[in-house]
């Protein structure tokens, strides 16, 4: 399994190199598909090698986790091509009888249509509605074929009204830690032992600002976003304050 994953990442890196080279040599814009955190890390590993092509990272909205890479330098080309991303608004046909839908419910319904994960971006679930980012070439197919999620019959339409997209409100909390090492903060946020946290780093499940972090002793900086696969995401808010007992008190914003 590890060898298969390594092979897939290497194939992705080769694809990214090809897209960067094509954008540069043919004076055009090229795009990746939607990339998850592990796939984005493959890009960041190559960033110094391919930055000559120029790039922009975007996922349809500012706080997107799944994002695309656009290669090409708009200033040099003298024009710009928008990301091929559409946003679909999904609502129940009869709100009164609708299930409470989760991210998993929506993703499962999409996968049942035979849609590849790489064509789907973030899924934002709100109260009685869902916003789905996808490749614009998939929007019509999804709108025509996604008719039911869980037991709820739904209707879909492409929208450009992004301000209505539900924003998850994080839980602001103060924690006391012995140091601002990444493993110490993660352990406190998710109530894990330092040993358990070390295993998360070894398993490649910790990402800081979208990049894989394998250094559990790395010190966090204000504003950094920490994703721990299987647990969630939090924002490290700022500089710590020392308590009377010699501990450090810091603020974090935790997303579930």
């Amino acid at each position: 399994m590890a060898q298969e994953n390594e092979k897939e990442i290497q194939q992705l890196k080769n694809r990214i190199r090809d897209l960067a080279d094509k954008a540069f040599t043919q004076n055009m814009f090229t795009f990746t598909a939607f990339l998850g955190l592990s796939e984005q890390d493959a890009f960041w590993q190559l960033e110094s090698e391919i930055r000559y092509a120029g790039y922009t990272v975007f996922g349809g909205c500012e706080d997107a986790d799944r994002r695309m890479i656009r290669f090409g330098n708009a200033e040099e080309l003298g024009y710009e091509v928008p990301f091929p991303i559409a946003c679909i608004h999904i609502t129940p046909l009869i709100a009164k009888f609708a299930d409470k839908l989760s991210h998993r419910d929506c993703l499962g319904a999409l996968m049942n249509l035979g849609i590849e994960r790489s064509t789907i971006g973030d899924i934002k679930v709100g109260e009685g509605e869902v916003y789905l980012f996808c490749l614009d070439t998939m929007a019509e197919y999804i709108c025509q074929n996604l008719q039911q999620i869980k037991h709820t019959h739904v209707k879909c339409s492409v929208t450009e009204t992004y301000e209505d997209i539900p924003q998850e409100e994080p839980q602001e909390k103060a924690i006391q830690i012995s140091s601002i090492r990444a493993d110490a903060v993660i352990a406190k946020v998710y109530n894990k032992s330092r040993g358990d946290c070390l295993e998360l780093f070894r398993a490649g499940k910790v990402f800081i600002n979208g990049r894989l972090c394998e250094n559990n002793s790395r010190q966090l900086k204000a504003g950094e976003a920490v994703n721990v696969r299987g647990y969630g995401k939090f924002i490290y808010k700022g500089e710590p304050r020392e308590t009377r007992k010699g501990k450090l008190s810091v603020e974090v914003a935790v997303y579930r």
Side-chain angles (χ1 to χ4, degrees):
M1 183 64 71
Q3 289 182 342
E4 291 179 2
N5 290 339
E6 186 176 337
K7 183 179 179 180
E8 290 175 358
I9 291 298
Q10 189 56 53
Q11 290 174 340
L12 174 61
K13 286 182 176 180
N14 292 337
R15 175 63 175 159
I16 289 172
R17 289 190 182 97
D18 290 343
L19 289 171
D21 183 66
K22 182 177 181 179
F24 183 75
T25 58
Q26 299 186 24
N27 293 319
M28 62 183 295
F29 290 100
T30 60
F31 299 86
T32 68
F34 282 102
L35 304 177
L37 288 172
S38 297
E39 296 164 322
Q40 290 174 47
D41 184 68
F43 162 74
W44 289 119
Q45 291 178 33
L46 297 175
E47 190 270 341
S48 61
E49 174 187 335
I50 59 178
R51 67 176 59 159
Y52 67 88
Y55 66 85
T56 307
V57 183
F58 185 58
C61 60
E62 185 176 348
D63 63 343
D65 287 327
R66 293 181 59 79
R67 301 185 292 176
M68 301 173 67
I69 315 295
R70 181 184 67 189
F71 293 105
N73 192 313
E75 292 184 3
E76 293 182 3
L77 292 173
Y79 68 98
E80 187 168 354
V81 175
F83 279 76
I85 298 175
C87 182
I88 297 176
H89 187 210
I90 304 170
T91 55
L93 284 177
I94 306 176
K96 180 179 179 181
F97 301 110
D99 295 311
K100 185 174 182 180
L101 302 178
S102 67
H103 181 282
R104 179 176 294 182
D105 295 329
C106 298
L107 181 59
L110 291 164
M111 297 299 99
N112 286 337
L113 294 178
I115 296 173
E116 293 186 6
R117 187 69 176 98
S118 60
T119 66
I120 301 298
D122 278 19
I123 301 171
K124 304 284 190 179
V125 180
E127 190 65 35
E129 61 180 352
V130 177
Y131 286 87
L132 162 69
F133 291 95
C134 66
L135 289 182
D136 55 7
T137 54
M138 294 299 301
E140 182 178 356
Y141 178 81
I142 292 173
C143 288
Q144 290 179 353
N145 292 278
L146 184 60
Q147 300 177 355
Q148 184 172 334
I149 302 176
K150 206 173 179 180
H151 303 296
T152 300
H153 292 278
V154 299
K155 57 183 177 180
C156 305
S157 61
V158 175
T159 180
E160 295 183 358
T161 312
Y162 286 22
E163 62 267 18
D164 292 335
I165 294 177
Q167 299 295 323
E168 182 183 357
E169 293 296 330
Q171 177 186 358
E172 304 276 350
K173 60 189 296 188
I175 60 174
Q176 292 187 4
I177 52 177
S178 57
S179 75
I180 58 174
R181 288 167 45 128
D183 57 358
V185 180
I186 291 171
K188 194 67 175 181
V189 169
Y190 297 116
N191 193 28
K192 308 288 288 184
S193 70
R194 293 283 280 272
D196 289 339
C197 286
L198 182 58
E199 289 303 315
L200 293 173
F201 281 90
R202 288 173 175 169
K205 294 186 176 181
V206 179
F207 297 81
I208 299 179
N209 287 345
R211 306 189 189 199
L212 178 67
C213 179
E214 298 178 302
N215 178 13
N216 62 297
S217 63
R218 180 192 186 283
Q219 295 200 341
L220 295 180
K221 299 176 183 178
E224 289 189 317
V226 181
N227 288 76
V228 184
R229 294 181 67 175
Y231 292 90
K233 177 175 76 172
F234 67 88
I235 308 296
Y236 180 78
K237 299 287 286 184
E239 295 302 318
R241 302 180 302 276
E242 187 170 348
T243 68
R244 293 180 180 179
K245 295 184 178 181
K247 290 280 190 177
L248 299 175
S249 178
V250 298
E251 300 286 334
V252 293
V254 183
Y255 295 83
R256 294 297 183 182

